[in-house]
Amino acid sequence: MTTQITSAPPAAEPRKGDRRRAAGSPAANVGRPGFGWALPAAFFFTLFAIVPLIMVAVLSFMSWNGLGSPRFVGTENWSRLLDDPVMLKSIWITLLLTVLGIVVQTPLSILLGVWAAGHQRNRAVLSAIYFVPLLLSATAVSVLWRALLDPNFGIPAEATWLFGDGNLFGEQTTAIGVLAFVSTWQFTPFHTLIYQGAARAVPEVLYQAAEIDGAGRYRQFFHITLPQLRNSMITSMILMTVGGLTTFETVLILTQGGPGTDTTISAYYMYEKAFKSFDFGVGSAIALTLVVAATVISLVVVRVSGYDKMRSSMEGVS
């Protein structure tokens, strides 16, 4: 008995027209968008961010009161800032408020974000109510709390047993405490939203494996949830740092830098120099200092944390 082996005919090569259609198909065009897509955003960023920044940098070496032509004075504005005790004091107050914001808001945002990512009863309703401050502007929030904490007609006037004379803005300690509290009340929902999204992205298989190994909720939180929130935590802290260095409306409405200069932060001092004293050269120098400080701190945090390498916290998870 003879077995006949037949080979399949060779596949026909695609014609040129077929190749052309395949190359022009949607699947063949999938890839990284071209540079043209970024041109509109790059144009507006250059127009409204880069160009004003360059103008501020140039003006920091000028003497100008808003009228006439600016006069070049070299590094005189910078020398005046180094010898200005109010400027040095404002730097420490700015750093203090920034650190207070990070220390208070970070753990609070993580706990609330992890809770909001769960499936508890009435979670959606409570989360919606809690996120209301996020919908308000900084000016509206400051006006609201200025009225609520008014020493004559606000809550302190009705609860003297708790607030004493009721003037929370009369001493540096209580005034800084009010600024930190108002900032926490307003911005914690935003950072909670960041952690809520990150917590929902944690693979459920990790918790299932931990339960099999006998790990309880607390061990799961510290050994699974927190490590998975690492990149989100870095992002949140950078935003808190930049926000703390550039806070302005809250101080302007609540304390106006008082009592005296005890709550004068650098951004508010810039406003006073530029728009009250009409010394736009010194005001520009302060503004440029804040930009450089925020940029350097952000780059240091990114570099030290390794966030720039975008290392995945889910390696080995399929």
Side-chain angles (χ1 to χ4, degrees):
M1 182 176 180
T2 304
T3 303
Q4 185 178 3
I5 300 176
T6 58
S7 58
E13 294 184 0
R15 293 176 296 179
K16 292 183 178 180
D18 296 337
R19 288 200 207 102
R20 198 175 295 114
R21 283 193 297 270
S25 62
N29 292 332
V30 173
R32 182 171 297 179
F35 179 73
W37 291 94
L39 285 180
F43 171 76
F44 285 107
F45 181 77
T46 302
L47 181 62
F48 295 107
I50 302 300
V51 173
L53 183 60
I54 294 175
M55 295 175 63
V56 167
V58 173
L59 194 58
S60 66
F61 297 96
M62 303 286 185
S63 177
W64 189 45
N65 61 359
L67 301 174
S69 301
R71 179 173 56 88
F72 180 76
V73 293
T75 59
E76 180 181 337
N77 294 328
W78 298 94
S79 300
R80 289 169 56 190
L81 284 181
L82 293 176
D83 297 331
D84 190 346
V86 179
M87 178 61 190
L88 299 178
K89 183 179 180 180
S90 71
I91 293 175
W92 287 111
I93 296 174
T94 302
L95 293 176
L96 174 61
L97 286 173
T98 302
V99 172
L100 282 176
I102 294 175
V103 171
V104 175
Q105 294 182 43
T106 298
L108 188 60
S109 300
I110 291 176
L111 294 175
L112 290 172
V114 173
W115 173 83
H119 304 282
Q120 300 87 351
R121 187 178 181 182
N122 298 325
R123 176 196 56 80
V125 176
L126 294 176
S127 296
I129 296 174
Y130 177 73
F131 287 129
V132 167
L134 188 59
L135 306 177
L136 304 177
S137 66
T139 302
V141 170
S142 301
V143 171
L144 170 66
W145 282 104
R146 179 67 192 185
L148 290 175
L149 299 178
D150 187 277
N152 298 314
F153 309 102
I155 297 175
E158 301 296 331
T160 55
W161 58 273
L162 179 61
F163 297 99
D165 61 358
N167 188 9
L168 299 178
F169 304 103
E171 297 182 5
Q172 182 182 34
T173 303
T174 53
I176 289 178
V178 168
L179 292 176
F181 168 77
V182 172
S183 297
T184 300
W185 186 83
Q186 180 184 7
F187 294 111
T188 298
F190 171 74
H191 298 281
T192 298
L193 197 61
I194 294 177
Y195 291 118
Q196 179 184 5
R200 286 183 175 176
V202 178
E204 189 66 27
V205 65
L206 297 180
Y207 297 107
Q208 294 173 355
E211 288 181 0
I212 294 175
D213 291 339
R217 286 189 175 182
Y218 293 101
R219 292 190 62 185
Q220 291 180 24
F221 176 78
F222 286 104
H223 294 280
I224 297 178
T225 306
L226 278 185
Q228 296 293 319
L229 298 180
R230 175 176 172 272
N231 291 340
S232 299
M233 194 180 303
I234 296 171
T235 302
S236 175
M237 291 177 65
I238 291 176
L239 293 175
M240 288 181 187
T241 302
V242 175
L245 294 176
T246 57
T247 297
F248 172 71
E249 303 98 320
T250 306
V251 175
L252 174 65
I253 296 174
L254 286 176
T255 66
Q256 295 185 352
T261 58
D262 287 342
T263 59
T264 300
I265 60 176
S266 298
Y268 182 78
Y269 194 51
M270 172 196 67
Y271 163 78
E272 283 194 328
K273 281 293 185 181
F275 298 101
K276 285 189 175 181
S277 302
F278 299 102
D279 193 345
F280 289 95
V282 174
S284 298
I286 299 174
L288 189 61
T289 301
L290 290 174
V291 171
V292 173
T295 303
V296 170
I297 293 175
S298 300
L299 291 176
V300 169
V301 172
V302 169
R303 188 69 176 177
V304 171
S305 63
Y307 185 73
D308 56 330
K309 300 176 183 176
M310 295 298 290
R311 289 195 297 264
S312 173
S313 57
M314 293 166 43
E315 294 180 1
V317 179
S318 56

